[in-house]
């Protein structure tokens, strides 16, 4: 026999799935935007030092690119062509990575709205990373450190001035 489901259950499931997809898309967008900013304006690395690192980019492709961008910055040369060449054999990934390097920000980070957006984006990416880490924490000490970091995020302000 086929189990009978109530109508509200039928409606709730797709809504929950849509909510999760929208959240995932928002996280992806934030990671993509933050990478674009870091690529276009290497001086932003000093603003996020100690707050965000490559491991905070949880989307696998963005994590890989972030690792290359952070490593390149540490060496003193973020090389977009070299990073793109790494993805030359996968057309879909290549296009997505190329978009990071070719995206032009509609406005500079000089106005207040954009400065606020940068700060919010950094916090959003870090919060997602900490949330995921808390779900995968294997011991209480690790969980306590994550909770402390999550608490510190609430008072974090990144100034671009």
């Amino acid at each position: 026999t086929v189990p009978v489901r109530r109508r509200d259950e039928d409606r709730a499931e797709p809504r929950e799935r849509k909510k999760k997809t929208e959240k995932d898309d928002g996280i992806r967008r934030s990671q993509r935007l933050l990478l674009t900013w870091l690529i276009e304006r290497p001086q932003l690395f000093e603003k996020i030092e100690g707050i965000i690192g490559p491991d905070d980019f949880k989307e696998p492709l963005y994590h890989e690119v972030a690792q290359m961008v952070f490593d390149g910055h540490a060496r003193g040369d973020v090389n977009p062509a070299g990073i793109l060449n790494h993805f030359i054999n996968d057309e879909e990934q290549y296009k997505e990575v190329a978009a990071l390097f070719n995206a032009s920000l509609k406005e500079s980070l000089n106005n207040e709205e954009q400065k606020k957006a940068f700060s919010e984006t950094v916090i959003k990416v870090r919060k997602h990373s900490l949330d995921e880490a808390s779900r995968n924490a294997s011991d209480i000490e690790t969980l306590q450190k994550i909770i402390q970091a999550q608490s510190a995020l609430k008072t974090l302000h990144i100034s671009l001035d």
Side-chain angles (χ1 to χ4, degrees):
T1 62
V2 176
V4 176
R5 290 169 44 189
R6 294 189 333 248
R7 285 191 183 143
D8 57 335
E9 285 177 353
D10 291 337
R11 283 191 297 268
E13 273 186 39
R15 207 174 307 136
E16 288 301 313
R17 244 181 279 133
K18 184 178 180 196
K19 229 183 258 184
K20 184 173 174 26
T21 302
E22 285 173 5
K23 182 180 179 193
D24 291 346
D25 287 347
I27 296 298
R28 285 177 52 89
R29 244 189 324 277
S30 294
Q31 291 178 33
R32 185 172 54 238
L33 181 60
L34 185 53
L35 275 173
T36 298
W37 275 331
L38 292 172
I39 291 162
E40 285 193 354
R41 297 185 175 84
Q43 67 273 22
L44 294 176
F45 276 93
E46 68 188 51
K47 303 292 184 186
I48 62 162
E49 194 172 347
I51 300 169
I52 292 273
D55 290 340
D56 291 307
F57 292 83
K58 297 301 182 182
E59 173 66 33
L61 178 62
Y62 295 156
H63 172 76
E64 193 172 352
V65 173
Q67 190 66 59
M68 292 179 202
V69 170
F70 277 77
D71 289 348
H73 178 73
R75 287 190 313 271
D77 79 350
V78 175
N79 180 354
I83 293 172
L84 274 174
N85 281 340
H86 185 79
F87 299 97
I88 198 82
N89 294 324
D90 184 324
E91 188 177 347
E92 190 175 316
Q93 284 186 338
Y94 183 87
K95 284 179 181 176
E96 196 163 345
V97 173
L100 293 171
F101 294 106
N102 295 324
S104 63
L105 302 173
K106 288 180 175 67
E107 300 175 43
S108 70
L109 286 173
N110 295 336
N111 73 42
E112 290 306 311
E113 195 175 295
Q114 287 294 318
K115 288 176 183 177
K116 184 179 176 195
F118 178 76
S119 183
E120 288 172 353
T121 300
V122 169
I123 291 168
K124 189 177 200 174
V125 170
R126 181 67 176 143
K127 181 183 181 317
H128 175 71
S129 174
L130 290 170
D131 289 349
E132 194 166 292
S134 73
R135 285 191 294 274
N136 298 317
S138 56
D139 59 77
I140 192 74
E141 190 177 323
T142 303
L143 190 56
Q144 286 174 331
K145 286 179 184 176
I146 293 167
I147 291 169
Q148 287 173 337
Q150 286 171 324
S151 180
L153 264 186
K154 293 175 184 161
T155 58
L156 180 68
H157 175 73
I158 300 167
S159 173
L160 294 179
D161 297 325

